[in-house]
Amino acid sequence: LSEQEGQTYRLPTEAEWEYACRAGSKTKWSFGDDESGLKEYAWYGDNSGRRTHPVAEKPPNAWGLYDMHGNVEEWCQDWRGDFTASQADDPQGPETGRGRVTRGHTYGSNAVYSLLADRDSCRPSSRSSTCGFRVALSPPDVPISKPPGKD
């Protein structure tokens, strides 16, 4: 896509993914703290029929982004690792690892796993119907790190 468009597309960092999902909120989910609202905004274990659904069948978050909770978990650029207190504002994952962070959880997830801040990981070599991705467009003057699988 980057070659075709002449722009730099990449996976979002974990911090970018959470920022986009939050859409300015400070709540458990982008739509609030009440778990009962999840059925309106996400495909997850209680309403998905244990299958994926086309994007945009549920309302978007406040910034117009669809399916940030549930449906499929989404790959992030960062390797999975623990954060330190000094990394609270813009955490960076470790430089190497076994699994890349995934966020958002899946059509089979329990509501608690669809929480905005919940994290998981998958190895770059794994393939699953529960894992997908969305791309981020880098501004031309922002350097990026190597994409997953290019280490």
Side-chain angles (χ1 to χ4, degrees), residues 52 72-73 75 106-107 122 125-132:
T52 58
V72 296
E73 59 188 338
W75 289 97
T106 75
Y107 58 82
C122 288
S125 60
S126 68
R127 301 292 179 263
S128 171
S129 65
T130 62
C131 195

Side-chain angles (χ1 to χ4, degrees), residues 77-81 93-101 119 124 151:
Q77 185 173 319
D78 299 339
W79 290 104
R80 175 70 189 254
E95 292 191 23
T96 63
R98 292 177 40 160
R100 297 266 181 196
V101 172
R119 319 164 65 216
D151 297 315

Side-chain angles (χ1 to χ4, degrees), residues 3-15:
E3 288 177 18
Q4 180 181 332
E5 299 287 326
Q7 299 185 70
T8 303
Y9 292 92
R10 59 180 173 75
L11 292 175
T13 66
E14 183 178 9

Side-chain angles (χ1 to χ4, degrees), residues 80-125:
R80 175 70 189 254
D82 294 330
F83 299 131
T84 65
S86 66
Q87 295 173 307
D89 288 336
D90 188 12
Q92 301 293 312
E95 292 191 23
T96 63
R98 292 177 40 160
R100 297 266 181 196
V101 172
T102 57
R103 298 292 295 266
H105 285 283
T106 75
Y107 58 82
S109 293
N110 186 315
V112 71
Y113 295 116
S114 298
L115 289 169
L116 192 146
D118 199 65
R119 319 164 65 216
D120 206 347
S121 66
C122 288
R123 291 181 179 189
S125 60

Side-chain angles (χ1 to χ4, degrees), residues 10-95:
R10 59 180 173 75
L11 292 175
T13 66
E14 183 178 9
E16 288 171 332
W17 189 96
E18 185 168 331
Y19 182 79
C21 184
R22 283 194 180 281
S25 72
K26 302 241 185 260
T27 53
K28 291 180 182 178
W29 292 277
S30 62
F31 55 84
D33 287 320
D34 186 356
E35 182 179 315
S36 66
L38 192 58
K39 288 179 181 170
E40 182 180 343
Y41 286 90
W43 295 112
Y44 69 108
D46 287 357
N47 68 351
S48 68
R50 301 283 189 214
R51 65 179 179 84
T52 58
H53 291 265
V55 173
E57 287 187 343
K58 297 287 188 180
N61 69 12
W63 291 351
L65 300 171
Y66 292 91
D67 296 319
M68 296 297 291
H69 303 289
N71 211 15
V72 296
E73 59 188 338
E74 299 179 4
W75 289 97
C76 293
Q77 185 173 319
D78 299 339
W79 290 104
R80 175 70 189 254
D82 294 330
F83 299 131
T84 65
S86 66
Q87 295 173 307
D89 288 336
D90 188 12
Q92 301 293 312
E95 292 191 23

